[in-house]
Amino acid sequence: MKRRRHEGAPASAGAAGEPVFALMPAGASAGAGASWPDGGAHLETGRPRASRNGAVVFAVAVFAAAFAIVLVAAQLAAGGVGLAALAVAVAAGWLASSSVHVVLEWEKAVVLRFGKFNRVAGPGIVFTWPIIEFYTLRVDQRVSATYFGAEETLTSDLVPVNVDAVLFWMVWSAKNAAVEVEDYASAVSWVAQTAMRKAIGRATVAEVATRRDQLDEELKEAIEEKLNPWGITIIDVEIRDIVIPKELQRAMAQEAVAERKKNARMVLAEAEKDISEMLSEAAEVYGGEGDALRLRTMHLAYESVEQSGGTLVVPSAFSEGFVDQPATRQGDRTGKGGAKAGVPAAREG
């Protein structure tokens, strides 16, 4: 899908030079109710638009049938076809083709009588009184997609940004779309762009970049408030792209990295604080319970041997956790020594 500039389209609303974008299939031209503001652009999808060739062929067939009937009648009545008969045949063909119309399934025809709104007709075959009634607009009631953007729009912190979005909308009242606004398709483009510029101007660049969903909802409400009196409803608004200056991108990236480092250090400090508190509580428990400390020492040694599957070499200082305290061992040795020393004393006695 390729974007291209649409040049030479008439500007029907707004100030000249304002870029407005709209989705439009390749090869299609801006017709009634679909003209683009000057400098607009559209996306080429490579898919053809629905054609009205059948309705045109029907109108030509009605004209030809009325023309032929008048000529045959003149031939039978006067025995020949003169200039007056040709003029009458042309007039009859024109009146017949302007009285019978084909309105396609997705269209509504706004019929006026003596210049005043009379009714909304279609789809199907629509009959109107020649000269008295006519319809000036066939309103397409399918869902339309309009691509629009805001270029070099300043945020509340004075940062220029470029934002592209797609607006999905449809006409629910053919009467209002024909009577209340001159060119409803161009009006949709201009209203959408103006609403986006206002929304961007009220937010900072950080809010614009991180709060896309909120920006979508804000744009939808603002655009629908403007377009609803014209018989147009908004289905959805989707932000496609947000472009900020490259210099600011680097600065925001550095700021994000610094914020991440700060958060990591804060989390590490909180973890160290929690660990120190737990170790302090454990030290109090083990300090008052010597047997608990020895059991913990044996559990650590067992887990080490179980995981490694090897032989545990215990340093002398660490092995003290598996035996009695030195004072106890010293008392035992003193008692044993005294008993042995008593033998020679007895012998000496």
Side-chain angles (χ1 to χ4, degrees), residues 171-249:
V171 178
W172 60 268
S173 176
K175 174 185 176 181
N176 291 353
V179 176
E180 299 295 336
V181 61
E182 178 185 0
D183 187 347
Y184 63 87
S186 296
V188 169
S189 300
W190 289 115
V191 170
Q193 187 188 49
T194 304
M196 175 178 282
R197 288 181 178 274
K198 289 182 179 180
I200 293 174
R202 290 192 295 265
T204 63
V205 63
E207 293 174 344
V208 171
T210 59
R211 299 175 57 190
R212 289 196 178 193
D213 294 339
Q214 291 84 344
L215 184 58
D216 291 343
E217 292 296 328
E218 182 179 353
L219 286 175
K220 181 179 179 181
E221 294 177 359
I223 297 173
E224 192 166 19
E225 182 180 359
K226 292 283 187 179
L227 299 180
N228 193 61
W230 300 341
I232 300 172
T233 184
I234 304 302
I235 298 175
D236 196 11
V237 180
E238 294 290 343
I239 300 296
R240 296 182 65 252
D241 193 17
I242 299 175
V243 180
I244 61 178
K246 293 183 178 180
E247 296 79 6
L248 186 59
Q249 291 181 16

Side-chain angles (χ1 to χ4, degrees), residues 61-264:
V62 170
F63 178 89
F67 183 84
I69 290 173
V70 172
L71 289 183
V72 171
Q75 179 70 28
L76 295 177
V81 177
L83 185 60
L86 289 176
V88 172
V90 171
W94 176 76
L95 291 175
S97 61
S98 63
S99 302
V100 183
H101 316 275
V102 172
V103 180
L104 302 182
E105 178 66 28
W106 55 84
E107 294 178 338
K108 292 289 186 180
V110 179
V111 180
L112 304 180
R113 179 177 294 175
F114 292 115
K116 298 180 64 176
F117 173 80
N118 181 261
R119 66 186 184 276
V120 175
I125 297 179
V126 176
F127 297 93
T128 58
W129 292 103
I131 302 175
I132 297 176
E133 291 182 344
F134 58 92
Y135 69 91
T136 59
L137 185 64
R138 292 185 301 270
V139 179
D140 193 328
Q141 291 195 309
R142 293 174 294 180
V143 176
S144 300
T146 298
Y147 177 82
F148 65 100
E151 297 181 358
E152 299 296 330
T153 303
L154 293 179
T155 60
S156 61
D157 48 355
L158 302 181
V159 177
V161 297
N162 298 334
V163 182
D164 297 338
V166 178
L167 176 66
F168 299 92
W169 56 277
M170 65 176 297
V171 178
W172 60 268
S173 176
K175 174 185 176 181
N176 291 353
V179 176
E180 299 295 336
V181 61
E182 178 185 0
D183 187 347
Y184 63 87
S186 296
V188 169
S189 300
W190 289 115
V191 170
Q193 187 188 49
T194 304
M196 175 178 282
R197 288 181 178 274
K198 289 182 179 180
I200 293 174
R202 290 192 295 265
T204 63
V205 63
E207 293 174 344
V208 171
T210 59
R211 299 175 57 190
R212 289 196 178 193
D213 294 339
Q214 291 84 344
L215 184 58
D216 291 343
E217 292 296 328
E218 182 179 353
L219 286 175
K220 181 179 179 181
E221 294 177 359
I223 297 173
E224 192 166 19
E225 182 180 359
K226 292 283 187 179
L227 299 180
N228 193 61
W230 300 341
I232 300 172
T233 184
I234 304 302
I235 298 175
D236 196 11
V237 180
E238 294 290 343
I239 300 296
R240 296 182 65 252
D241 193 17
I242 299 175
V243 180
I244 61 178
K246 293 183 178 180
E247 296 79 6
L248 186 59
Q249 291 181 16
R250 290 192 291 267
M252 294 179 67
Q254 294 175 357
E255 181 181 358
V257 171
E259 187 68 21
R260 294 291 183 181
K261 290 182 178 180
K262 174 185 174 182
N263 294 337

